[in-house]
Amino acid sequence: MGIHRAELRAAGETTGQTHRRLCVRVAVGAGVVLCLFVSVVPRAQAQRTALKPGWNMFTPQQDIDLGKKVALDAEKQLPLCNDPKVDAYLTQLGLRLAAKLPTGGVAYPFEFHCVNDKAINAFALPGGYVFVNRGAIEAADNEAQIAGVMAHELSHVALRHGTNHALRGEGAEGVIGRARGGLGDATGGARLTELSAFAAGGVLLRYSRTAESEADTLGTQVLYDAGYDPRALAQFFVKLEAEMKGKNPPEFFSDHPSPEHRVERVDQEISKLGGVPPSAKLDSREFEWIKREVLALPVVKKPAPGAPAAPAAPAPPSAHFASYQASSYTLQYPENWKKYPDKDGIGVSFAPEGGVLDDGSGHSALAYGFIVSVTQAKVDSNDSNALENATQQVVRVMQQSNPNMKIVRQSERVRLNGRPGLSTYLSNDSPAGGSETDWLLTVMRPEGILSFICVAPQSAYGNYDKTFSSILDTVRFSK
Ligand SMILES: [Zn+2]
């Protein structure tokens, strides 16, 4: 190769610019362009430890392309929190931290997602795709601590540890082969999809102790620059280590091995930065609110190791809709779903191919789809809580055949085709394995309580949310 880092750095320093991008065509494969971002430290910041990405065969754009591919797969495979408020909070906090990252002029497309997993963990894919487990939010004592975990993850992105490490670590050949394939070569791309990009991407997340130290140091600088108490980062990791004594270590440490003298190193960096500023922020009311929101999210059961693989998920719902007419209402549904009308002329189910499964006892159960049914409820229609009372009866009827069904979000008043309705979220065991989310909408009609039930496994619910809302928007009552 004939290129040494020292020479590149020396070349950058003579320019006097803050960041200098140096690209060199090296004779690897089909002419890979190697770029290094060389930072020249301004005098005012000379005290802080200068960190920059190590040798890397990927370009930053390839980090982004690879990370995006793996992130899309991760979003499909992981149970996401699917809570817009939590995602918005993580995004707003994450972007505030990312603004303090030295990225050498690369515009990373930062994205932040909440994962509905109680394990205390977080990870960032190359290119800036950050996933934070609910468990990490629940374990953090304050906003500065969760900001510390995120600053640590973002530091891995800016220092490009994922692809840098993938070159050195065990099995690197395979990852690079698959990643390269995924970035252009059609055959390799297909193979990556089959293998699951997310599983293959696991190698991108296993860091060395040196990378951990660097991420701690840069993370501490980012926390400091964002106005947080920079001690929070190490405090959170110390707390995790204390909790793991005598128990299984948190998942976080299998990808992020604890470097030696973690706290001492962070403390050294803080003194280089000039100590903890008196105005350093520790917590916010917003964080406390988000933490309560996260604690209230339904828990997703993890499949037991060795459990049979879940049946293949159905094809995504079509954006084209077909019409359905019942005796007292009309609606539209995705045209690639089948309809299963009840004999009463009112109830009906709609499900994609593969959406109706055996529930394990020889009965068909709907795992993905939409159900309309009518229930005769005993209510006084003059009662101002008639719809609430009727909805409780509907839920009890459903619970008789679904003993593990639970209300996860209390009923809220909504309107359906202009009529007053109640929206209730429930969880249940999914015939596809794991939990499912059931979104129930109830409306009082002359023929009884009409229930519209949207069903999908919790891990896939985010892929159906919009379709369910679209179906409900098309409901028209005949009078
Ligand atoms: Zn780490």
Side-chain angles (χ1 to χ4, degrees):
M1 253 159 246
I3 297 292
H4 298 282
R5 240 199 305 174
E7 293 167 14
L8 291 173
R9 191 178 303 140
E13 276 163 3
T14 61
T15 66
Q17 291 178 15
T18 309
H19 298 291
R20 176 105 174 105
R21 186 173 191 248
L22 286 165
C23 297
V24 182
R25 192 166 288 278
V26 291
V28 181
V32 173
V33 179
L34 168 70
C35 293
L36 281 183
F37 292 90
V38 182
S39 312
V40 176
V41 181
R43 239 170 244 285
Q45 296 199 10
Q47 290 302 313
R48 63 174 64 195
T49 306
L51 292 161
K52 52 178 86 71
W55 193 90
N56 200 311
M57 197 189 269
F58 289 68
T59 63
Q61 186 56 47
Q62 285 177 316
D63 270 19
I64 295 169
D65 294 344
L66 175 64
K68 181 170 193 171
K69 202 173 188 60
V70 179
L72 284 173
D73 208 47
E75 282 176 56
K76 280 188 216 130
Q77 298 206 8
L78 296 174
L80 298 179
C81 297
N82 287 321
D83 185 323
K85 282 174 258 178
V86 178
D87 284 336
Y89 171 79
L90 290 178
T91 302
Q92 175 243 4
L93 172 60
L95 290 178
R96 237 187 311 131
L97 298 166
K100 304 297 179 192
L101 272 182
T103 61
V106 185
Y108 289 111
F110 293 105
E111 275 183 21
F112 301 87
H113 302 273
C114 171
V115 183
N116 193 338
D117 187 335
K118 288 280 209 181
I120 303 169
N121 207 353
F123 66 90
L125 293 164
Y129 304 88
V130 181
F131 293 79
V132 180
N133 278 6
R134 66 181 289 180
I137 299 172
E138 290 168 4
D141 291 330
N142 51 49
E143 182 166 277
Q145 287 188 359
I146 198 69
V149 175
M150 291 170 79
H152 174 100
E153 295 299 334
L154 287 166
S155 298
H156 283 310
V157 174
L159 295 169
R160 306 189 54 213
H161 287 147
T163 47
N164 171 252
H165 173 72
L167 284 164
R168 298 187 207 151
E170 278 177 61
E173 293 304 311
V175 166
I176 291 160
R178 288 194 292 272
R180 277 231 193 97
L183 296 171
D185 175 89
T187 338
R191 213 177 333 132
L192 181 67
T193 316
E194 276 166 38
L195 274 171
S196 152
F198 181 47
V203 179
L204 301 171
L205 302 174
R206 244 164 274 140
Y207 303 111
S208 65
R209 287 197 157 77
T210 311
E212 283 310 301
S213 274
E214 288 186 3
D216 279 356
T217 304
L218 184 55
T220 301
Q221 295 173 4
V222 166
L223 266 194
Y224 177 91
D225 291 341
Y228 287 102
D229 186 332
R231 291 170 298 188
L233 180 144
Q235 278 165 358
F236 186 69
F237 292 142
V238 167
K239 184 182 138 143
L240 287 198
E241 285 186 43
E243 279 178 18
M244 78 190 225
K245 293 240 159 69
K247 284 187 264 170
N248 289 333
E251 277 177 22
F252 186 84
F253 293 115
S254 61
D255 287 337
H256 304 260
S258 260
E260 300 261 297
H261 312 299
R262 177 163 235 162
V263 177
E264 291 84 339
R265 243 185 265 244
V266 166
D267 284 346
Q268 266 173 24
E269 192 61 29
I270 294 171
S271 46
K272 285 184 188 175
L273 291 164
V276 180
S279 59
K281 191 173 164 179
L282 210 53
D283 207 0
S284 73
R285 246 197 257 172
E286 208 186 354
F287 173 75
E288 294 309 327
W289 190 83
I290 286 293
K291 185 167 163 174
R292 280 196 298 274
E293 173 93 1
V294 166
L295 282 164
L297 286 173
V299 176
V300 178
K301 274 180 258 164
K302 281 192 196 174
S318 170
H320 296 278
F321 278 51
S323 296
Y324 179 76
Q325 173 130 35
S327 55
S328 61
Y329 63 90
T330 61
L331 59 77
Q332 293 176 22
Y333 62 96
E335 64 177 12
N336 64 341
W337 288 14
K338 280 192 205 158
K339 58 173 187 269
Y340 304 90
D342 291 356
K343 289 189 193 83
D344 64 12
I346 305 168
V348 61
S349 301
F350 303 93
E353 188 80 49
V356 180
L357 302 172
D358 190 305
D359 69 355
S361 62
H363 301 283
S364 300
L366 186 132
Y368 299 81
F370 186 84
I371 302 168
V372 188
S373 69
V374 65
T375 312
Q376 303 307 326
K378 293 178 205 82
V379 285
D380 175 358
S381 52
N382 296 322
D383 180 354
S384 60
N385 285 324
L387 184 55
E388 276 81 352
N389 294 338
T391 301
Q392 284 171 13
Q393 293 180 41
V394 168
V395 170
R396 276 198 294 275
V397 168
M398 292 199 297
Q399 283 170 331
Q400 281 164 16
S401 43
N402 299 277
N404 287 331
M405 184 174 260
K406 285 183 196 73
I407 293 179
V408 291
R409 202 183 300 171
Q410 286 305 325
S411 301
E412 286 162 28
R413 288 173 188 242
V414 292
R415 295 193 92 75
L416 193 64
N417 186 210
R419 314 291 162 101
L422 268 193
S423 155
T424 311
Y425 280 87
L426 303 116
S427 75
N428 192 15
D429 293 341
S430 172
S435 318
E436 74 182 17
T437 299
D438 301 302
W439 181 23
L440 167 69
L441 265 110
T442 39
V443 180
M444 298 263 255
R445 298 288 299 150
E447 62 269 30
I449 305 299
L450 209 49
S451 302
F452 299 86
I453 311 158
C454 307
V455 183
Q458 195 166 56
S459 56
Y461 194 84
N463 304 333
Y464 288 86
D465 215 355
K466 278 205 187 93
T467 302
F468 292 148
S469 297
S470 301
I471 297 172
L472 290 165
D473 284 343
T474 67
V475 171
R476 298 289 177 271
F477 298 112
S478 51
K479 52 187 171 189

